[in-house]
Amino acid sequence: MPQPSPQPKSERIAGVPAEGQSLGADVRRARFGAQRAFGEFLQLVANANDGPPDARLLRAASEVDPTSGGFLVGPRWSDQLRESAYDASVLAQMVDIEEAERPDVKLPAVDETSRADGARWGGFVSYWAAESASVAGSWPRVKLLEFSGHKIIILVRCSRELLSDVSLLGGFISRGFAAEAGFKLDQAVLSGTGAGTPQGMLKSDCLITIAKEGGQAAASIVSENVKKMWSRLPAPCRRRAVWLCNEDAEGELENLGGASGPALYMPAGTGGNPYPLLKGRPVHVLEQSPPLGQVGDIALVDPTQYQIIDGGQRTALSLHSRFDNDEVVFKFTWRVDGKGIYSSPITPYSGSSTRSPFVALTAR
């Protein structure tokens, strides 16, 4: 299967320290300066609600009314806001993210449905010279992945008092945007329907679901579930795979002991590992995961086999007054779409069971 390199993790936003480090004076000054400058931009947008907009504001055209689309958030703030959303996410920051200038794009992708000779990567073929005097011609198959400019809309309320303090305003809006947008991104990447939202891993056409064991108790997770899920993940995906589970499902994993063999589950901190490990791969607890007992309450995925198309610098911002509560509401509009890159499970090179980068446990 294709093996895109995971994007390197870096310090994406000024003022965000690396794990285990504290903010130094220079970093604090940079963060506070950035917050103040962003707060001043937000004030310009707020003032445009009461009179002619500042000449530095650029109007974002609406699909319905070109004069009511709010204002474009400049590249500096747009990049920081979007990166802060990915940083606040758990799952979305691990997938393959591409930025696009247009909301609707079609990307070429390898049409691979089998790992057999002559089918890998959609049709590449190779052989040792001693194996055959000739070989049939081969031409790799390529498909198009279609992405739409689905809009995610984030509303942030703030008081008139907060609006008057540029430093506090910039920091509050930045943190609120990151927290909410990061949550919605993870929710969509995991279980979005694809209708008006990205298509999530649990709704992907290549998803494999593992049946419960005979006589298995309702809303339980047993060792055989875990072993069978692991067996359906392609070998190239295993070194990048992560487990996703509901908060209540974590308790079930802790019951997977090793009385008759090696423990499948290792709590965080064991051997210095920062995350719990299941079959040696990290476990990420997501509040967006389905409730315990439902399909996908535990899932095994290779996030690099999921593609996000980011709308780039088309982030727009508008303001709505709430005179009855003496509040204003900032409305951010951001275009983003995503889906898994495989349209069906994969036939392995050896063996009869299909495999997929997205595997989930069925309902119990």
Side-chain angles (χ1 to χ4, degrees):
M1 299 178 68
Q3 304 171 27
S5 301
Q7 294 182 340
K9 298 296 186 293
S10 60
E11 186 178 312
R12 292 170 170 169
I13 302 178
V16 178
E19 185 176 354
Q21 297 181 352
S22 59
L23 287 173
D26 291 340
V27 175
R28 280 197 299 270
R29 280 193 293 270
R31 186 191 69 178
F32 295 152
Q35 288 180 352
R36 180 173 183 84
F38 185 48
E40 291 172 348
F41 168 73
L42 293 170
Q43 280 191 337
L44 291 179
V45 175
N47 293 336
N49 207 46
D50 301 321
D54 188 280
R56 290 169 289 181
L57 295 177
L58 297 177
R59 179 72 72 175
S62 165
E63 291 91 339
V64 179
D65 180 0
T67 65
S68 64
F71 299 96
L72 285 178
V73 180
R76 177 186 180 187
W77 308 125
S78 181
D79 288 346
Q80 287 197 2
L81 285 171
R82 292 183 296 111
E83 290 294 339
S84 71
Y86 290 118
D87 284 338
S89 72
V90 176
L91 179 57
Q93 66 172 272
M94 294 188 284
V95 308
D96 187 17
I97 304 168
E98 296 289 345
E99 186 173 310
E101 296 296 329
R102 294 169 35 231
D104 301 313
V105 296
K106 295 182 180 180
L107 292 183
V110 176
D111 188 12
E112 182 181 69
T113 59
S114 171
R115 298 290 293 169
D117 285 342
R120 289 185 296 274
W121 264 76
F124 278 82
V125 65
S126 60
Y127 66 99
W128 297 105
E131 290 181 336
S132 175
S134 63
V135 65
S138 174
W139 190 259
R141 297 187 307 275
V142 176
K143 63 183 178 182
L144 289 178
L145 291 179
E146 297 189 21
F147 295 88
S148 300
H150 298 312
K151 288 192 294 187
I152 179 172
I153 298 173
I154 301 100
L155 302 178
V156 185
R157 296 165 51 184
C158 67
S159 66
R160 290 284 180 178
E161 290 80 7
L162 179 61
L163 189 63
S164 65
D165 190 315
V166 293
S167 295
L168 289 178
L169 175 64
F172 175 78
I173 297 296
S174 297
R175 291 192 299 273
F177 178 94
E180 179 59 21
F183 181 96
K184 295 297 285 187
L185 279 174
D186 277 348
Q187 187 179 49
V189 170
L190 180 63
S191 55
T193 64
T197 72
Q199 184 184 48
M201 297 175 177
L202 297 181
K203 302 296 183 181
S204 172
D205 293 332
C206 72
L207 177 71
I208 288 178
T209 54
I210 301 300
K212 66 179 182 179
E213 295 297 298
Q216 181 175 345
S220 66
I221 299 174
V222 298
S223 60
E224 286 304 312
N225 299 149
V226 172
K227 294 174 184 178
K228 289 181 178 179
M229 291 176 69
W230 183 259
S231 72
R232 301 298 293 277
L233 189 73
C237 293
R238 295 184 181 183
R239 64 178 178 271
R240 301 182 300 265
V242 297
W243 297 87
L244 310 172
C245 76
N246 178 272
E247 294 162 305
D248 294 331
E250 188 176 27
E252 289 293 308
L253 299 182
E254 293 172 350
N255 294 328
L256 300 179
S260 60
L264 292 176
Y265 179 83
M266 297 177 64
T270 305
N273 52 295
Y275 298 101
L277 299 179
L278 187 61
K279 291 285 287 185
R281 297 306 303 161
V283 177
H284 294 277
V285 179
L286 290 182
E287 57 181 316
Q288 297 94 332
S289 291
L292 181 61
Q294 294 189 13
V295 177
D297 59 349
I298 179 172
L300 176 61
V301 305
D302 176 0
T304 68
Q305 304 305 300
Y306 187 92
Q307 178 82 64
I308 277 183
I309 296 297
D310 189 308
Q313 298 171 1
R314 296 299 300 175
T315 310
L317 171 64
S318 58
L319 183 91
H320 303 271
S321 297
R322 288 169 50 92
F323 295 105
D324 52 340
N325 294 336
D326 197 28
E327 292 178 334
V328 295
V329 178
F330 286 101
K331 176 183 176 182
F332 292 86
T333 303
W334 176 19
R335 290 188 176 274
V336 63
D337 196 10
K339 63 179 59 176
I341 65 175
Y342 284 90
S343 56
S344 68
I346 304 297
T347 301
Y349 176 73
S350 299
S352 57
S353 297
T354 57
R355 290 174 171 81
S356 171
F358 308 144
V359 184
L361 185 58
T362 192
R364 281 100 54 224

